[in-house]
Amino acid sequence: MKTIYCIAPPNEERRAYLEPHFTLVAEADLDDPKAWLAENGSGIEMILTSGFYGFGDHYLELMPDLKLVSTNSVGYDGIDARALAQRGIILTHTPTVLDAEVATTAVLLYLSCYRNFEAELANARTGAWAKTGNLPLPHTGDGRKVGILGLGRIGKATAAKLEAFDCTIAYYGRSKQDVAYEYYDDPIALARDCDALVSILPGGAATQHLLNKDVFEALGPDGVLVNVGRGSSLNQVELIEALSTGKLGWAGLDVFEDEPNIPQGLRDLPNTILLAHVGSATVETRWAMAKLAMDNLINFANGKPLISPVPESKGLI
Ligand code: NAP
């Protein structure tokens, strides 16, 4: 049986799925992973990782026969897919199966900002309602003009869900797409024309701090900003400044620059709704992602076509 080196620890369910096909080595079970790999790394062709665990360059030297890295995530900004491709190593990821779930998370954040939901929940749960009554009326999220930054798979699923709330959708991306929504080639112009922005941009150098004070100020004091893409795309220092001085209305965030750390400044603000990167985190969706990541490994081992290689790997297939 071929060996899979698991950078991301496989739980019982995933072990049960993989063990009929492979010998599993979980990095978390090794006392000294580098020493173990120095002795046993030759011959290992496959790695299972995740967006959280990523892929360090040292594996390339320790596993000279590596052929496939399967990441249990759609985002792969923590893995240099081009450098892998140059060495003939394929990278697979888990697109599509999480679109609906992440879109739901984006819409939950969007509505929670407009409806001041965290405070409303606390007002009921703490019994404050009986003592001090209802909170000031919040605003509606229905019927807004919403700008999507990154109208890809998840962006389109989010747009479709927001349309059910009678929202008008516009979008920013590097290129105009064949869709009915209005296109902007400038995120600041999009922010100026919209009530709210929802960002589902990937991470990496090209989107670093694309969401910054110019965008926040263009969105304005009543504006709502949601980010479910990557924390690196948003300048957190400038966001705290904009939210705390009233230049921006609200922020709903699922992703942060230095996860799992969330700056105290963001946690202290009453006009933020914060989640711990749970965009795709349901039993059903996480299993669908894991199954896709594992099926890529099984197909590869059996000489069958890979289901979801990243675009950078397509030249190798
Ligand atoms: P996708 O289908 O590849 O869509 C990405 C979109 O971003 C594309 O429409 C692309 O449009 C745009 N884009 C890419 N680079 C850009 C740049 N430099 N400037 C402007 N726009 C750019 O990806 P997806 O499956 O929707 O996933 C998107 C991201 O969501 C992932 O990369 C991941 O980081 C994040 N994510 C988060 C969670 C969570 O739990 N919060 C879960 C899953 C995914 P153009 O090519 O036209 O520019």
Side-chain angles (χ1 to χ4, degrees), residues 47-58:
I47 276 186
L48 179 59
T49 188
S50 70
F52 182 78
Y53 286 92
F55 179 88
D57 284 348
H58 62 285

Side-chain angles (χ1 to χ4, degrees), residues 151-152 156 159 169-171 175-183:
L151 190 76
K156 289 190 178 79
I169 305 298
Y171 70 102
S175 50
K176 189 173 182 327
Q177 302 185 37
D178 187 17
V179 291
Y181 308 135
E182 188 181 359
Y183 173 65

Side-chain angles (χ1 to χ4, degrees), residues 73-77 93 95-96 98-99 102 105 149-156 171-177 200-203 206-207 210 227-230 254-255 277-281 286 289:
S73 60
V74 66
Y76 52 97
D77 42 299
H93 66 151
T96 313
L98 42 51
D99 295 353
V102 182
T105 304
L149 295 108
L151 190 76
R153 291 172 291 254
I154 299 170
K156 289 190 178 79
Y171 70 102
Y172 161 75
R174 290 168 299 188
S175 50
K176 189 173 182 327
Q177 302 185 37
I200 313 150
L201 289 167
T207 58
L210 197 142
N227 188 15
V228 294
R230 277 289 181 268
D254 183 46
V255 289
H277 202 148
V278 294
S280 64
R286 284 289 168 86
M289 292 166 64

Side-chain angles (χ1 to χ4, degrees), residues 171-231:
Y171 70 102
Y172 161 75
R174 290 168 299 188
S175 50
K176 189 173 182 327
Q177 302 185 37
D178 187 17
V179 291
Y181 308 135
E182 188 181 359
Y183 173 65
Y184 286 76
D185 62 6
D186 173 12
I188 298 169
L190 179 73
R192 201 174 293 125
D193 282 3
C194 286
D195 298 303
L197 294 181
V198 177
S199 177
I200 313 150
L201 289 167
T207 58
Q208 174 81 16
H209 289 184
L210 197 142
L211 301 167
N212 55 42
K213 65 175 170 28
D214 298 332
V215 173
F216 308 148
E217 285 170 27
L219 193 53
D222 298 324
V224 167
L225 172 76
V226 170
N227 188 15
V228 294
R230 277 289 181 268

